[in-house]
Structures are given as C-alpha cells and as structure tokens.
Amino acid sequence: MTLTASESVQGLVLAGGRSRRFIHGAKALEPLGNQPMIAHVLRRLLPQVEGAWISSGAGTLDLASLPEDLRELACLLDPEPRFRGPLAGLAAGLDALADRHQSESSAMAWLQLAPCDAPFLPRDLVARLLSEARQEDSGEVRVIVPRAEGHLQPTFAVWHVSTREAVQSALSKRGGAGLLDVLRQLPHQVVDWPATNPPAFFNVNTRADLDQAADWLQSATTTPSR
C-alpha cells in the first residue's frame, strides 16, 4: 500500500477518558475560553478531514453545550465494556471507517486521531503527516505518527483502515496493551515535529494545565497581529 495524494482522511476525537482529575463532568466539555475544550479541537481538526466522529467511551457525551454546528457529530461507543482507553476508541473508529469505506467504495482509508484535551492541535497535522511520509517513500506504512521532543504521539497519529485487525486483536487480549504497543507492532512512519509555543501536542490533564491553556489562548487573542 503506497500513499497517494487522492486518499482522504476521517477524523476521530478521543473523548472517552475517565477524567479522574476533573471534578465536574466530562473533561471534553470543560470550559476553555468561551467554549468547551473539545470545540477548540474540532475547530482545528474539521478543516483537515472529510468528517469526524467523537469517541465517547462507554457512554454518550452530552453535546448540547457545543456550538450548534458541532452538535450533530456522531458519538461512537467503545466496542467492549472493559475500559481500555484510547485503544478502544481507535477500534470503534476503525470499525466505523471500514463500514463507510466499504459502503461508499471510497478512498477514505485513513483515520486521524485527536485527543479532546489538545486545544492547540496543529492546523496542518494531517497534511504534514501524509506529505512527509510520502516524501520518505513509506511503502507499506500503516500508521504515521508525530514525534515531539523525542516522544511519540500515538493519539495524534493517522491510522490506516488496514490496522483494524491488529487493533481488534490487541483489544481482545487481557492486559494493558495500548496505542503505543500496537503502533510498534505495525509498519509505521515517524514524523519529527518542531517545537512550538504553545506546544502543539499539549494535553490538559489537570486544573493547572487548564489554567495554562487558558493563559495561552488569552495571549493569542490579545497579541496584535503584525
């Protein structure tokens, strides 16, 4: 499978986490600036993909607080009751992608992941991952993953529909296999990402992180354009 410029990409926002470090409800819906945190992610992701789903874990996510144009996005449930984090979300997304791929006979064969708590998701993530992988003559690549400051970022990777079987196999096994474990078992391409401010792959995991993200957003809106 060689990458081609005609292949398109579907998005999946991972919003099924347990949010243990947040007191009030789902982390995805935490206010950040003037809208829920997941809305920042979707605004950055949607222009890069054909469409998007939201992985809501074991239960539905109340999207009533989102801006009206984002409320109609479909939520995907985890394929099994045991909590397996992003791996289960990826499995649900690949199932949905495979169904669409077959029913529409389309070239939509890639799934771009994005965490719901990453409000500074790069606006050129999809284009850069696919473009740099093509330049490297990636051949049988199945996953394209960014690497920032020496750390792989599998929850920001783009996964081919052909990884579905490997993901389902890992999910069916008891134990703690996660995205990184599956990634390392598959032919993948690493794309090094330059340092940015704010960090491109910053995750809001605590209240302190939320405050930091709010400060960065405020600085961005108050800094005069040149």
Side-chain angles (χ1 to χ4, degrees), residues 62-74:
D62 184 2
L63 303 182
S65 62
L66 291 184
E68 188 173 354
D69 61 320
L70 300 177
R71 295 175 194 166
E72 300 303 317
L73 293 174

Side-chain angles (χ1 to χ4, degrees), residues 15-82:
R18 291 176 172 175
S19 305
R20 288 176 172 172
R21 284 173 279 189
F22 282 79
I23 299 172
H24 304 293
K27 182 166 61 170
L29 302 179
E30 283 288 330
L32 176 60
N34 60 357
Q35 57 188 322
M37 182 156 48
I38 192 174
H40 292 274
V41 180
L42 288 167
R43 293 291 186 215
R44 288 169 170 261
L45 178 64
L46 285 172
Q48 305 183 53
V49 294
E50 294 292 325
W53 298 297
I54 297 173
S55 167
S56 58
T60 57
L61 193 67
D62 184 2
L63 303 182
S65 62
L66 291 184
E68 188 173 354
D69 61 320
L70 300 177
R71 295 175 194 166
E72 300 303 317
L73 293 174
C75 288
L76 305 179
L77 296 177
D78 286 355
E80 63 163 76
R82 287 182 300 155

